[in-house]
Amino acid sequence: MAKLSTFSELSLSSAPSVKLLLDTNIFIPLEPAAAADVVPNSELAASVARLAQVGGHTMYLHPAQSHDINRDKDAGRAELRRVLFTKYPSLPDPPLISPQHNAILGSPEHGTNDWVDDHLIVALVADAVDFLVSEDKGVRKKARRFRCDSRVLT
């Protein structure tokens, strides 16, 4: 697995293909459903996508993230995001959250933002992906509990 400290190193890395798991807070600005969805980190998200593509790396979404999309109260926007969600490969065979993971992370209610975040963290912990790309400081804190926070790119 490659050791990266910045997004810009993605395209420069001599490592073979890197598997990136995109948090929903990266997916949404990367795939805006309306002009209002273009936010300050949209440019960063686009840069990550470009560098990943140039470097031959793969960007995945976790199947649990569909719950983030389904919580959108704007039905039209949610439907558009479900379509855009299909542009990205789904993380194959994502690991399940074990009782040991729950002991460290807690047991959030099914389908909540924390529940989705825990699935992303467990995928990282289980080495299903090399890096998790997120703007959520809480995700980094959770990853720190497993000593894999250096693999959360923000």
Side-chain angles (χ1 to χ4, degrees):
M1 171 181 27
K3 175 93 169 148
L4 305 176
S5 59
T6 66
F7 290 125
S8 62
E9 292 179 48
L10 280 174
S11 65
L12 304 176
S13 172
S14 60
S17 182
V18 172
K19 296 182 284 187
L20 301 166
L21 182 57
L22 302 180
D23 194 345
T24 309
N25 60 35
I26 299 297
F27 165 74
I28 288 173
L30 188 58
E31 300 290 348
D37 293 337
V38 178
V39 293
N41 68 338
S42 292
E43 190 173 331
L44 173 65
S47 292
V48 169
R50 182 183 54 78
L51 291 170
Q53 291 170 354
V54 167
H57 309 303
T58 306
M59 297 179 294
Y60 291 100
L61 294 174
H62 194 291
Q65 289 173 273
S66 64
H67 291 275
D68 284 339
I69 306 305
N70 292 337
R71 282 194 309 276
D72 192 335
K73 293 180 184 354
D74 182 322
R77 184 176 59 203
E79 183 56 33
L80 178 55
R81 286 194 174 139
R82 278 190 279 282
V83 170
L84 294 171
F85 198 86
T86 64
K87 283 176 53 176
Y88 297 85
S90 183
L91 183 64
D93 302 315
L96 299 175
I97 295 178
S98 71
Q100 293 82 5
H101 294 125
N102 278 335
I104 295 169
L105 295 169
S107 300
E109 183 179 337
H110 181 87
T112 62
N113 184 59
D114 285 336
W115 180 85
V116 172
D117 287 350
D118 290 357
H119 280 80
L120 304 182
I121 294 295
V122 168
L124 185 66
V125 169
D127 294 325
V129 295
D130 299 308
F131 295 96
L132 171 58
V133 184
S134 177
E135 286 289 309
D136 187 338
K137 291 180 184 0
V139 165
R140 182 178 286 280
K141 285 182 182 178
K142 286 182 177 187
R144 190 174 297 127
R145 297 177 196 170
F146 294 97
R147 297 189 175 130
C148 64
D149 54 307
S150 64
R151 294 172 49 209
V152 178
L153 302 177
T154 55

